[in-house]
Amino acid sequence: LLQYARGTVTAFAPFDARADAEALCKAMKGMGTDEETVLKILTTRNNAQRQEIASAFKTLFGRDLVDDLKSELTGKFETLMVSLMRPAYLFDAHALKHAIKGAGTNEKVLTEILASRTPAEVQKIKQVYLQEYEANLEDKITGETSGHFQRLLVVLLQANRDPDVGVDEALVEQDAQVLFRAGELKWGTDEEKFITILGTRSVSHLRRVFDKYMTISGFQIEETIDRETSGDLEKLLLAVVKCIRSVPAYFAETLYYSMKGAGTDDDTLIRVMVSRSEVDLLDIRQEFRKNFAKSLYQMIQKDTSGDYRKALLLLCGGDDE
C-alpha cells in the first residue's frame, strides 16, 4: 500500500479487534442502537483495523458487520459508517461504478477521483474494479462518456504520467507556447493539446509550465481554460490543473463548495472526508483555513447535525482556529 503521513486517522493503539467486534455487537443488540459507540470505534480505527474488526465480527458472531450496520443505522450516518468500512481502492472503485451506472452519469465523481489520484492509485483502482465487478473500468467509462471529456478521462486512466525526474526548461517553454497557441491565440480551441500535455507530463514539469504560461500570456492557465472550454471538459481540465498545483487545496475547495450555500452535497462531503482521512486531511484542513477564512471543523459543525456530525468531526480530527 502507498504510505501517507498526513491523515487525521492513524492506527489505533492498543488495538484489539475482538474487543471492538464485541463492543459493536453489543451496541447494535436489542432495542435501539448505541450510535455513539459505533461512531467512536469506526472513526478512530484506520481502514486496515476496520477490516480486522469485520473479520473478527464474522468469526465471533457468524454475521456480516456491514450488513448489521446497514440494518441498524439510517440516512447519511449509515452511508458514512458503511463508507468507512470499504477498503480504500474498493471505495474508489465502488464510487466510480455508481457514477456510471443506470440513467445519467455522475461526471463530478469521475472528475474528482481521476483528476486527484496518483498514477499508482489509478492502476490499483482499475485492478480492484476488474476483480470486484468483472468489468473493465475504461470500457465502462468510454461507454458512458463522449467527446474531449471522454478522451481526457481515458488519458488519465492510462496512469502513464511522466515520473518526476528533473525538469527540462526547453520543454517547459515549448509546452507553454503550445498551450498558448492552442488556446488564447487560436480561433476555436485545440483541446487535444491541452489533453495531451495536462494528462501526461510530470507534476513538477507542469507546475513550471503554468508559471511560464502566465509569463507568456499574462493569464493563469485556469483563466484560459475557463474562457476557452465549457461543460464537463472544462470542469475536468480545471480539476487536473488544481490537483497538479496542490491536491490538498483542490480538496479543500471541493469540501467548501459541498457545504457552501443552501443544502449540503453530502455525497461529496462523505466521499472526500472518508477517502482523504488517512492520506492528507491535515493538509486539506490547513488549505481550507488559509483559503476560506474559517476552519473545516467549524463549517462541518454549522452544516451537519446529529451522529453524522459527531462522526465527521471525529474524522476531521480537530479545529484550526
Side-chain angles (χ1 to χ4, degrees):
L1 223 64
L2 307 167
Q3 290 305 306
Y4 297 104
R6 301 292 298 155
T8 51
V9 176
T10 52
F12 184 84
F15 173 62
D16 181 344
R18 289 180 74 110
D20 284 348
E22 279 164 359
L24 286 170
C25 186
K26 195 168 154 227
M28 294 189 282
K29 223 183 184 138
M31 288 296 288
T33 302
D34 167 13
E35 285 89 356
E36 188 91 20
T37 297
V38 174
L39 72 89
K40 282 238 162 77
I41 293 176
L42 297 187
T43 58
T44 55
R45 310 305 188 258
N46 70 8
N47 199 291
Q49 291 175 326
R50 289 179 214 128
Q51 305 314 320
E52 287 185 52
I53 295 169
S55 157
F57 194 90
K58 195 164 268 182
T59 301
L60 294 170
F61 311 112
R63 303 160 64 89
D64 188 292
L65 176 56
V66 172
D67 290 347
D68 279 14
L69 291 169
K70 283 178 178 168
S71 70
E72 295 296 324
L73 311 174
T74 55
K76 297 175 284 203
F77 179 59
E78 175 197 338
T79 307
L80 178 57
M81 293 300 108
V82 171
S83 297
L84 285 170
M85 291 306 302
R86 280 198 185 96
Y89 298 109
L90 188 54
F91 182 85
D92 283 346
H94 180 270
L96 290 168
K97 182 174 169 58
H98 284 267
I100 46 189
K101 87 172 217 241
T105 305
N106 187 337
E107 291 83 5
K108 182 187 217 163
V109 175
L110 298 183
T111 294
E112 180 196 299
I113 293 178
L114 293 175
S116 64
R117 302 309 190 249
T118 64
E121 288 167 333
V122 173
Q123 293 293 12
K124 196 83 175 100
I125 293 164
K126 290 196 296 191
Q127 282 169 357
V128 170
Y129 197 95
L130 190 59
Q131 280 160 9
E132 211 45 42
Y133 305 119
E134 296 178 346
N136 178 299
L137 177 58
E138 189 182 319
D139 293 346
K140 289 290 175 198
I141 287 177
T142 48
E144 297 296 328
T145 55
S146 61
H148 290 107
F149 175 63
Q150 179 201 74
R151 289 182 199 179
L152 180 49
L153 287 173
V154 170
V155 168
L156 295 170
L157 277 166
Q158 301 318 299
N160 281 332
R161 191 177 287 290
D162 296 337
D164 270 314
V165 284
V167 173
D168 173 351
E169 286 302 327
L171 188 59
V172 165
E173 173 81 38
Q174 189 186 317
D175 278 353
Q177 292 286 357
V178 167
L179 290 173
F180 182 49
R181 288 197 294 271
E184 293 293 339
L185 289 185
K186 198 169 192 291
W187 185 263
T189 311
D190 183 353
E191 292 91 350
E192 295 293 328
K193 300 280 195 291
F194 279 83
I195 289 169
T196 303
I197 291 174
L198 293 177
T200 61
R201 302 287 199 251
S202 79
V203 171
S204 46
H205 172 84
L206 283 169
R207 286 177 184 161
R208 292 284 306 114
V209 170
F210 299 161
D211 293 344
K212 182 63 79 178
Y213 185 87
M214 179 77 192
T215 311
I216 294 169
S217 69
F219 296 112
Q220 294 287 10
I221 187 100
E222 290 92 334
E223 297 174 78
T224 296
I225 291 169
D226 196 31
R227 260 202 316 278
E228 301 289 328
T229 61
S230 62
D232 295 325
L233 175 66
E234 179 192 344
K235 294 191 184 101
L236 181 55
L237 284 167
L238 286 173
V240 170
V241 168
K242 285 170 183 174
C243 289
I244 293 292
R245 289 194 190 273
S246 162
V247 169
Y250 169 72
F251 279 118
E253 188 183 329
T254 304
L255 284 169
Y256 178 74
Y257 286 106
S258 76
M259 293 181 279
K260 183 186 181 291
T264 302
D265 174 359
D266 291 293
D267 287 342
T268 298
L269 179 55
I270 291 170
R271 199 171 51 248
V272 177
M273 292 297 289
V274 171
S275 67
R276 307 317 285 184
S277 60
E278 291 181 44
V279 182
D280 54 2
L281 195 48
L282 290 171
D283 296 326
I284 292 169
R285 275 170 39 186
Q286 225 173 338
E287 290 292 334
F288 196 99
R289 184 71 193 81
K290 193 173 84 192
N291 299 330
F292 302 110
K294 56 168 79 88
S295 70
L296 176 59
Y297 193 91
Q298 287 169 341
M299 198 155 181
I300 291 171
Q301 204 159 26
K302 190 177 111 305
D303 234 76
T304 57
S305 62
D307 294 314
Y308 176 54
R309 168 164 65 189
K310 280 182 196 160
L312 285 170
L313 292 175
L314 280 170
L315 283 180
C316 183
D319 201 343
D320 299 289
E321 271 314 298

